[in-house]
Amino acid sequence: MQHQAFLDLRTTLDLLKANGELSEVSGEVNWDVELGAVTREVLRRRGPALLFSNITGYRGPQARCSRLATGLFASFRRISLMLGFDQQPSNRALIEYVLKKNATLVPPVLVEDGPVHENVLTGDAVDLFAFPAPRWHHLDGGRYIGTMGCVVTRDPQTRQVNVGLYRSMIVDRNRMGTLIVSSQGWGGHWGKYREMKRPMPVAFVFGWDPVMEFVAGSPIPATICEYDVMGGYRGAPVPLVKCRTVELEVPAAAELVVEGTISDDPATYAPEGPFGEYTGHVSEIATPRPVVKVSAITHRDRPIFRGTLEGSLPGASGENSYMSSIQRAAIACNVLRNAGIPGILDVFVHPVNNGTTVIVQIKKHYEGQPKQIAAALWGSNASSHRYKFVVVVDDDIDPGDYEAVDWAINYRVDPGSDDIVVFRSTFGSALDPSTLLEHRQLSELGAGLWNRMLIDATRTWRFPRRPQWGGERFPPLVTPRPQDLELVRKRWREYGFAGWKAEF
Ligand SMILES: Cc1cc2nc3c(=O)[nH]c(=O)nc-3n(C[C@H](O)[C@H](O)[C@H](O)COP(=O)(O)O)c2cc1C
């Protein structure tokens, strides 16, 4: 692995191109639904990252922004490359790396100026429609400008800065609708600004080093600033510049920044949603929600807009899914280690569920251990929108092998026993379509409500030991004994399998 210095979006695209992982789409594509549909079909074919450079209405020298990059995170190979790996490491190695980096802190540095201020637009010059924000899916309530936009906010009391990744929809030239969940980093800040009866300053950052989205889209503890973690990933302080109209800082080489404030006056709210969400379903119905009143847009010359098609679908999962597969497994592992639980061997999240299901492989030390694991995960804020299902397996089951996990669930779980634990009405995801829409009203509940389930697929210790089973509580497997295998290995060629050839 090579040490990876900071990239910006342009050098990231160069890196992906040099490795055959980027395709420029030069044919005309309409931002209205077509761009999202093309992206979905490329995901379905496990294709490259895409740079759209011929977008309807955004062509020619008069266009302020004519390019959109997407799909950068939608493969483990690309994520590995962007993190600085020459070869794609195993799931386990990637998780260990991310665990270490999430805990390495290098504070940012403030610099005088940067390319993000090559163009500064305020007042009447502010026009969100100047950027090719797609209507990604035909049922989206509008053009979603914020799909890979990293949102910077500051705690008005502690001054702690948070960088999170949250959606936003264009309302008009200078307003964006938002969905603020109280259990998220900016949701905590929003609560404090509301109590103080002050609008919350925000800055949406589009396109910079991919560690920005990788870290902002993951639950870094609220006491840690994500800029420090980004610095930890690259081993250098993130160069930041001051925003022009709000008291916040943004990466100096970002492509595009939208600055503004959010008021809690319901008279300022505007309908937001629905949106084709990470669950692969259209999330909800259009609902009046807080809006960002944009005070400035700053951008590089010839900016490249950054966006992503949300929604995990079997065989066609997107960027959030692959990022979450790594980060949500690493963060679960971290929660469990910090809780002091022994025997955590591996943690796996399949991209298709974004971390809604987490599979934990353990060396079992005591019978109550799987429940302790579920309790630690569900008691952590990292389980916001994640870890609805916790599956715990023994050390002979590879958590990344769905066939093996399925087998363990089928033959090591008694659904009428304590192997299944349901934890009701805990905080969850307001976007999960398996929950009644009325039960996930953020304005009433702050966050979604979830029933969660532990599947303890380890061999139970509640059974008595039986001498007939070698003194074990669970019966032996049907695999041949070593001496049986040795005999077969020796005689393999003598059996003469007609019409079939295989080495032992
Ligand atoms: C592509 C992408 C889109 C996301 N969209 C949202 C969103 O619209 N709302 C939200 O609350 N979380 C969203 N998330 C998840 C949050 O970014 C994630 O929960 C993160 O932990 C938020 O940062 P925080 O912990 O500082 O709040 C998204 C994540 C990714 C990777």
Side-chain angles (χ1 to χ4, degrees):
M1 177 183 186
Q2 292 176 351
H3 174 71
Q4 179 66 68
F6 280 118
L7 302 165
D8 58 9
L9 180 55
R10 296 165 193 211
T11 47
T12 306
L13 296 177
D14 290 344
L15 172 79
L16 295 178
K17 192 171 179 188
N19 284 278
E21 290 284 347
L22 177 74
S23 174
E24 183 168 344
V25 185
S26 53
E28 182 174 351
V29 179
N30 198 316
W31 55 264
D32 193 8
V33 179
E34 188 181 11
L35 193 148
V38 171
T39 304
R40 180 69 68 195
E41 287 312 301
V42 173
L43 291 175
R44 197 178 297 289
R45 288 161 179 76
R46 309 262 194 265
L50 302 173
L51 180 64
F52 290 96
S53 58
N54 184 352
I55 304 170
T56 309
Y58 294 86
R59 296 179 297 165
Q62 79 289 355
R64 183 167 289 284
C65 177
S66 56
R67 292 173 294 171
L68 180 152
T70 192
L72 277 66
F73 286 104
S75 91
F76 290 121
R77 175 161 194 257
R78 292 203 282 277
I79 295 179
S80 307
L81 280 170
M82 293 188 294
L83 291 179
F85 289 93
D86 308 321
Q87 304 283 326
Q88 186 184 318
S90 67
N91 174 66
R92 184 73 209 272
L94 208 47
I95 282 172
E96 286 297 342
Y97 175 81
V98 167
L99 256 173
K100 195 173 88 202
K101 288 296 182 181
N102 282 354
T104 307
L105 305 182
V106 178
V109 60
L110 198 59
V111 297
E112 273 297 303
D113 203 4
V116 70
H117 286 155
E118 282 165 353
N119 301 270
V120 177
L121 308 169
T122 55
D124 286 348
V126 167
D127 183 8
L128 294 167
F129 293 111
F131 302 90
R135 190 160 69 106
W136 293 92
H137 183 260
H138 73 107
L139 292 174
D140 286 354
R143 297 177 65 172
Y144 270 83
I145 185 165
T147 50
M148 267 290 176
C150 298
V151 185
V152 187
T153 54
R154 192 191 299 278
D155 186 309
Q157 287 155 359
T158 65
R159 313 290 297 156
Q160 177 79 35
V161 168
N162 187 76
V163 190
L165 218 165
Y166 319 111
R167 80 186 198 195
S168 58
M169 188 187 98
I170 298 181
V171 176
D172 54 29
R173 284 173 67 95
N174 61 357
R175 289 188 302 157
M176 303 191 298
T178 62
L179 172 87
I180 306 183
V181 183
S182 296
S183 57
Q184 302 289 65
W186 76 332
H189 293 178
W190 168 241
K192 291 187 180 182
Y193 279 102
R194 294 180 84 177
E195 275 177 16
M196 297 163 74
K197 305 211 178 311
R198 275 172 46 194
M200 178 167 78
V202 289
F204 282 66
V205 185
F206 298 90
W208 181 58
D209 187 306
V211 296
M212 175 176 73
E213 294 105 356
F214 195 59
V215 169
S218 309
I220 304 300
T223 49
I224 293 175
C225 174
E226 282 83 355
Y227 281 140
D228 296 12
V229 182
M230 294 173 211
Y233 268 83
R234 298 304 194 207
V238 175
L240 297 177
V241 289
K242 286 188 173 176
C243 287
R244 290 299 170 93
T245 57
V246 288
E247 202 206 322
L248 294 167
E249 291 88 39
V250 291
E255 292 291 328
L256 165 68
V257 171
V258 178
E259 305 176 8
T261 51
I262 307 181
S263 158
D264 86 327
D265 177 358
T268 65
Y269 289 11
E272 191 267 350
F275 180 53
E277 260 296 348
Y278 75 97
T279 63
H281 294 75
V282 172
S283 54
E284 5 78 295
I285 52 180
T287 308
R289 297 208 167 106
V291 303
V292 178
K293 179 124 193 320
V294 180
S295 48
I297 294 177
T298 72
H299 68 82
R300 294 182 69 157
D301 290 338
R302 299 198 66 238
I304 304 174
F305 183 62
R306 178 75 171 94
T308 196
L309 175 70
E310 269 288 18
S312 297
L313 288 174
S317 289
E319 298 190 69
N320 190 347
S321 311
Y322 285 91
M323 275 162 80
S324 294
S325 168
I326 300 167
Q327 277 283 18
R328 303 294 173 153
I331 287 169
C333 194
N334 192 43
V335 167
L336 299 175
R337 284 185 187 166
N338 285 342
I341 302 172
I344 306 298
L345 301 181
D346 201 0
V347 181
F348 181 75
V349 163
H350 194 288
V352 80
N353 67 59
N354 285 273
T356 303
T357 296
V358 61
I359 305 171
V360 183
Q361 184 199 44
I362 62 167
K363 171 89 187 128
K364 196 158 157 178
H365 287 55
Y366 39 85
E367 176 60 5
Q369 200 174 343
K371 275 132 202 124
Q372 188 188 15
I373 286 168
L377 289 174
W378 295 340
S380 155
N381 208 50
S383 69
S384 170
H385 295 82
R386 300 297 194 274
Y387 313 144
K388 177 162 84 163
F389 299 104
V390 176
V391 183
V392 184
V393 295
D394 281 315
D395 52 359
D396 63 335
I397 302 294
D398 174 356
D401 177 350
Y402 258 43
E403 190 179 7
V405 174
D406 188 358
W407 178 81
I409 290 175
N410 277 282
Y411 303 119
R412 294 181 180 176
V413 176
D414 171 3
S417 76
D418 286 345
D419 290 343
I420 303 285
V421 176
V422 176
F423 188 33
R424 294 190 179 281
S425 294
T426 173
F427 82 133
S429 170
L431 302 171
D432 183 342
S434 71
T435 321
L436 190 68
L437 188 57
E438 284 71 15
H439 293 175
R440 45 191 169 97
Q441 295 298 338
L442 290 176
S443 55
E444 300 303 312
L445 302 167
L449 278 186
W450 251 357
N451 300 319
R452 298 176 185 255
M453 182 166 76
L454 162 69
I455 303 177
D456 175 358
T458 63
R459 284 164 291 202
T460 182
W461 288 14
R462 295 187 301 269
F463 292 168
R465 292 182 183 277
R466 298 187 195 273
Q468 300 89 330
W469 294 346
E472 297 293 334
R473 301 173 170 101
F474 234 72
L477 296 178
V478 296
T479 41
R481 293 173 303 174
Q483 60 267 42
D484 303 332
L485 276 180
E486 186 48 28
L487 173 73
V488 172
R489 191 189 63 75
K490 272 196 197 138
R491 298 206 51 220
W492 189 251
R493 289 180 179 208
E494 296 168 35
Y495 297 134
F497 299 106
W500 182 61
K501 215 170 169 196
E503 290 306 312
F504 184 79

